[in-house]
Amino acid sequence: SSEFRIERIAVIGLGLIGCSWVKGLRARGHVGFVSGYDRNLESMTLAQEAGLIDFFSEDITDVVADADLIIISVPIMAVRGVLESILASISSTAVLTDVGSVKGSVAADVKAVFGDGFTRFVLGHPIAGSERSGVLAADENLYVHHKVIITPEAHTDSKALKLVRQAWRAVGADIEDMAVEHHDEVLAATSHLPHLLAYSLVDTLANSHENKEIFNYAAGGFRDFTRIAASSPVMWRDIFSANREQILKTLDLFEHDLKFLRAAIELGDTTTVMGVLTRAKVARDHFS
Ligand code: NAD
């Protein structure tokens, strides 16, 4: 309901994810004043022109100083630097949250910069987005009926948790709680591996077909399978490095199964091939 209201929000990283959240809160009347910081000056100007933020500064400490809620929506490997630069300027009641696609690395960054006992950082990850990026891609309805995974830790303050949950529900999201490690394991399989495969396949095909003829016939499986390879390389470079262990684990499993399928095709073992395809189709049909 529009009764829920946060007076002052600061958004660090004015891209698709942070701006969509703020745009959604603003459109529904849940927020007073929004300040923004991005290391790219043009993103700050664009965000102000679009009415997403009321104030920006090239000095990040001005942007966070009075904020009740600080949303950190930068690429994963930039999180630690942001935390270090705001540490001395946040208020003693400010709640902080992030939107990063890997949670273990952010949890470690928070611990390293704010110390073990810091209670007002709520780790979150919206399962929504697209291959588009930047301020201009912001969509106030991006999170409607989408899941947001919150990964509370034992020391997380319950009031801080409540505020962040409310701020997500206010833009239409459904909250799910998960443990940090479990999040990174599940997302390695359902999101990180598929992105890795898509990038790798497009790269292979782009290099192996000199005249790029392949892209003229992309309406086949290629277009569907590789749409996600148009995602931000910086964002994905960071995810592949921050969740390296879990990604390698699921990649090993995949490599094993791929070799199995390859061998069956090589041997002309159509029964085995049919078995794999049938199992996969049944599994895919059963998920909505
Ligand atoms: P984006 O590229 O649209 O926005 C990121 C913004 O951060 C850019 O404006 C960039 O200039 C800024 N930035 C980079 N380094 C910075 C720094 N050191 N200080 C200040 N600003 C900096 O990307 P996005 O899609 O909004 O992704 C942001 C975060 O959201 C990432 O951590 C990503 O893992 C997570 N996420 C993305 C998606 C998705 O589908 N795009 C989904 C869920 C979560």
Side-chain angles (χ1 to χ4, degrees), residues 8-23 25-26 31 33-39 43-44 47 52-57 60 62-65 67-74 82 86 95 97-99 135 143:
R8 298 181 80 94
I9 294 184
V11 187
I12 311 300
L14 296 167
L16 171 73
I17 297 298
C19 285
S20 294
W21 195 2
V22 155
K23 194 173 185 181
L25 287 169
R26 185 144 254 192
V31 60
F33 188 85
V34 183
S35 58
Y37 174 83
D38 197 287
R39 69 160 179 204
S43 298
M44 296 197 279
L52 294 175
I53 59 173
D54 305 297
F55 168 79
F56 69 81
S57 165
I60 194 170
D62 291 342
V63 171
V64 296
D68 304 310
L69 177 66
I70 300 169
I71 296 169
I72 298 170
S73 43
V74 297
V82 165
I86 65 175
V95 170
T97 190
D98 82 306
V99 297
V135 181
Y143 304 114

Side-chain angles (χ1 to χ4, degrees), residues 248-260:
L248 292 179
K249 234 194 256 174
T250 185
L251 183 59
D252 287 346
L253 213 71
F254 176 74
E255 264 185 334
H256 175 272
D257 288 354
L258 186 62
K259 279 194 190 121
F260 177 79

Side-chain angles (χ1 to χ4, degrees), residues 12-19 37-40 43 60 72-79 81-82 98-102 125-135 137 143 195 231-232 234-236 239:
I12 311 300
L14 296 167
L16 171 73
I17 297 298
C19 285
Y37 174 83
D38 197 287
R39 69 160 179 204
N40 178 357
S43 298
I60 194 170
I72 298 170
S73 43
V74 297
I76 290 282
M77 300 309 263
V79 169
V82 165
D98 82 306
V99 297
S101 312
V102 181
H125 176 205
I127 310 299
S130 72
E131 67 284 7
R132 302 182 60 214
S133 57
V135 181
Y143 304 114
H195 278 83
S231 305
S232 155
V234 171
M235 168 177 157
W236 283 98
I239 292 170

